[in-house]
Amino acid sequence: MTLGSVPSKFKVSIDRDQCMDCGRCIENCSYGVYRREGDKILIESRKCTGCLRCVAMCPRDAITLTEKPIDYRSHPLWTREVREDIIKQARSGKIILSGMGNARDLPVVYDRLLLDACQVTNPSIDPLREPMELRTYIGKKPSKLNFRKTESGDVELETKLAPNLKLNTPIMIGHMSFGAISLNAQLSMAKAVTELGTYMGTGEGGLHRDLYPYQDHMVVQVASGRFGVNIDYLERGAAIEIKIGQGAKPGIGGHLPGEKVNEEVSRTRMIPVGSDAISPAPHHDIYSIEDLVQLIRSLKEATEWKKPVFVKIAAVHNVAPIAAGIARSSADAVVIDGFRGGTGAAPKVFRDNVGIPIEVAIASVDQKLREQGVRNEISIIASGGIRSSADLAKSIALGADAVNIGTAALVALGCRVCGNCYRNLCPWGIATQRPELVSRLDPERGAVQVSNLIKGWTYELSELMGAAGINSIESLRGNRDRLRGYMLDEEMLKILDVLPAGA
Amino acid sequence: MKTVKIDARGMHYTPLNQKIRAAVADGAEEIILDNILGQRFIGDGLRGNVRIIVNGVPGGDLGMFMSGPTCIVHGNAEHAPGNTMDKGMLVIHGSAGDAVAHSMRGGKVFIKNNIGYRGGIHMKQYDVEARPILVVGGTAHSFLGEYMAGGLVLVLGIGKDKAMTDRGIGSGIHGGEIILRGEVDDFLLGVGAKKFKFTESDLERIAPTIKNFCEQFGYDPAEFLDTNYTKIGPASSRPFASKYVWE
Ligand code: SF4
Ligand code: SF4
């Protein structure tokens, strides 16, 4: 091997004065960094992924982990990453796969948007004292309402309302499939959303029978591979989502490697054990917007028009006209996934280079739908890199009805964003199907953590709204006047329809 | 046998399906639909053992998500009959459009004449009962059995010189089998598809399907019960395994 090895990504060391030799680091590290030889714990730093499981479990804080202990000669263009990718491809001649979301250091638009607060001229609202209306309905709204007077003189609604999802907080959990993540991870989130009165997605992995008790809070997904999809599955879900695209890998399909297809995954996806689960790039019954309408209607017809149907697309250059087309189909909501969205596995070149930021996509989709007079009829759900209640509030002010979180929910379960989800070795029991690792995640405790996170964000959202003198989420939605851009260029401000700070 | 007749002239598909569901709930064993003209989604998501006779030409996605019923069409069918179908049978006394039996995972689709592009695309299999079967009496266009992950596609080429003359057969196939009457030119095979010898034991396996098909359309099965077939299957069950390297 003339290329030799590249520098190790992490350097792990144990402070031997602190260490009590309990062996927990050995037990906890599924990547095999630690091993015992005689009376010594040996360390193989090269195997470390930075998942921090050992650091979290060491009772003595004896472990030190340094990132990039040896780096290359610094160079602004030929970065470490660029050089290592070339070395990898020179060795293999293959496509580089990666995990989690976009890892490039690109400017984050959320961080250049600032929220407003009241001073003197109008009072802020104290959410402890005043009710804050955060309830959000996702689904089609009628363009107008017709009423009828009954004989007794009462007024009755004549317009037939389409089914909507009722959310107690505008935060849902996005689609992460059983197979990509563990059943305990799904169970933790399902318990949390059920308790909180919100929803989560099944992903394209079918609905495991242990999740049936939470089915009224699950959005079932229909993707191009149609895994796990049958009439029973469609009827169980609270809503159905057609996945066209995903922010982490717009334009391409998915691929669950055969190693992850064990007995349970196979049963839930309805494919043989050990077989690759390949989702093609397009749905092969959708080659046009008319075909999309047909798929939406086929799902509604199958479930007797009782379920809202969402369409999820990746945020790409033409996202606004595409969303407008979707709004004109029979879809009840459009889900837009920005280029920072996470994934179990995606070609690195896609993860890091394809798609546009969710902030811009929300603004342009909202704008386009308003121009066309249909914004009030369809909901917008935004996802892809939402990290905090501030990102949530800004998303809503830019025009979203609700957000989907993914990575944030996993971090609440222990994930340290190490990006090695594809290896089936996740030491936190999240992105793995190995029973000994999955059992590390207790769904009861996991549910509390996820629910705490969503509760915390919901409190913060009420506070942010109260500070801005807003007591209803409806008044925040699309209210770009409560946003100011900081260090954003003129063109960007125009697209976001936001004034610069100070204006 | 309890039979219900529905005159579908000028009727939209939603009320039509509502009538079909009501008839099934009412214990109908046979439902005859007259004057069908382009109504989509007939039998969409329908369960049970009912037999539906369609007189006319149904629209797209006939029997989509269907789980149990038998549907016999006296006419042609449009786009994607048997789409994501689970159980039951579609019998089309004519031809059908593109994406026939798309993502189907159980049951049977029998087409008397020809089908369009992407027939049997992404058909998949789970367990022995859930093994979808698509049989085409005539021929099919390109990308037959593309991305196929299980089940059986059989093309008999009745009345044709060759069962298949279009390209891309089984591109990306990673499970299941495509069986074509007679010889198949190598250049018609898609990426990842491979020819296998059709043996006596293969014949034994598909003979019940051939007989079943012939029964529907009044053909003599004896004509087809020999080993003059070509079997096409996956070159590997992991077609993409060698395309990637991890970060
Ligand atoms: S977990 Fe900490 S204290 Fe225990 S053996 Fe490892 S380094 Fe030492
Ligand atoms: S889910 Fe597990 S493997 Fe994936 S990034 Fe998080 S800690 Fe790492």
Side-chain angles (χ1 to χ4, degrees), chain A residues 31 51 100 410 414-421 426-428 430-431:
Chain A
Y31 299 108
C51 77
M100 293 312 270
L410 298 189
C415 163
R416 299 294 203 262
V417 199
C418 74
N420 280 257
C421 316
C426 174
W428 296 90
I430 301 168

Side-chain angles (χ1 to χ4, degrees), chain A residues 14 18-26 41 54 57-60 62-63:
Chain A
I14 296 177
Q18 286 296 320
C19 174
M20 63 187 259
D21 206 28
C22 67
R24 275 180 218 172
C25 45
I26 308 176
I41 294 177
C54 57
M57 295 300 147
C58 171
R60 286 288 178 86
I63 299 170

Side-chain angles (χ1 to χ4, degrees), chain A residues 88 92 94-99 224-232 234-235 255 257-259 266-267 269-272 274 276 278-280 283-285 287 291 294-295 297-299 301-302 304-305 345 347-348 351 422, chain B residues 12-15 17-18 21 40-41 44-47 59-61 64-67 78-80 83-84 86 99 102-103 105 118 121-122 124-127 146-147 149 172 174 237-247:
Chain A
K88 225 164 277 160
S92 66
K94 294 180 183 178
I95 294 173
I96 301 176
L97 274 187
S98 60
S224 63
R226 303 282 156 88
F227 296 112
V229 180
N230 61 14
I231 184 63
D232 190 50
L234 298 175
E235 283 181 349
H255 172 200
E259 299 90 67
S266 125
R267 189 205 303 252
R269 295 203 173 208
M270 303 176 204
I271 52 169
D276 275 4
I278 296 165
S279 298
H283 286 248
H284 282 289
D285 52 355
Y287 279 9
D291 287 349
Q294 177 143 335
L295 182 61
R297 296 212 176 140
S298 73
L299 291 165
E301 193 67 21
E304 301 180 65
W305 299 78
K348 189 166 184 250
R351 184 195 70 177
Y422 55 86
Chain B
H12 182 265
Y13 56 76
T14 302
N17 270 327
Q18 280 166 352
R21 281 174 200 274
R40 295 172 181 180
F41 316 128
D44 188 2
L46 194 68
R47 295 185 174 92
D61 291 325
M64 189 164 186
F65 306 117
M66 193 171 84
S67 186
E78 226 256 16
H79 172 93
N83 193 348
T84 324
D86 229 14
H102 175 285
S103 283
R105 73 155 59 77
R118 315 190 297 285
I121 187 167
H122 222 291
K124 54 180 73 66
Q125 175 174 346
Y126 172 65
D127 270 2
E146 190 178 31
Y147 275 115
H174 51 289
S237 67
R238 307 282 313 274
F240 300 110
S242 62
K243 214 170 130 186
Y244 302 113
V245 57
W246 286 102
E247 186 181 36

Side-chain angles (χ1 to χ4, degrees), chain A residues 226-273:
Chain A
R226 303 282 156 88
F227 296 112
V229 180
N230 61 14
I231 184 63
D232 190 50
Y233 170 78
L234 298 175
E235 283 181 349
R236 282 182 190 278
I240 302 167
E241 176 174 302
I242 298 173
K243 175 189 165 186
I244 300 289
Q246 182 178 347
K249 39 182 167 177
I252 59 170
H255 172 200
L256 184 74
E259 299 90 67
K260 273 190 154 184
V261 183
N262 62 18
E263 191 61 52
E264 286 295 299
V265 172
S266 125
R267 189 205 303 252
T268 310
R269 295 203 173 208
M270 303 176 204
I271 52 169
V273 175

Side-chain angles (χ1 to χ4, degrees), chain B residues 102-137:
Chain B
H102 175 285
S103 283
M104 182 185 173
R105 73 155 59 77
K108 296 180 187 124
V109 173
F110 291 161
I111 312 277
K112 185 172 186 196
N113 301 330
N114 309 317
I115 61 170
Y117 294 82
R118 315 190 297 285
I121 187 167
H122 222 291
M123 259 170 52
K124 54 180 73 66
Q125 175 174 346
Y126 172 65
D127 270 2
V128 255
E129 324 83 83
R131 178 168 177 267
I133 296 175
L134 166 65
V135 186
V136 178

Side-chain angles (χ1 to χ4, degrees), chain A residues 60-90:
Chain A
R60 286 288 178 86
D61 278 339
I63 299 170
T64 308
L65 199 148
T66 325
E67 194 173 4
K68 300 186 188 124
I70 309 171
D71 213 336
Y72 296 71
R73 172 214 165 202
S74 63
H75 193 287
L77 186 66
W78 298 94
T79 58
R80 175 186 182 120
E81 197 189 326
V82 164
R83 279 175 269 188
E84 290 192 352
D85 285 353
I86 292 175
I87 293 170
K88 225 164 277 160
Q89 292 190 304

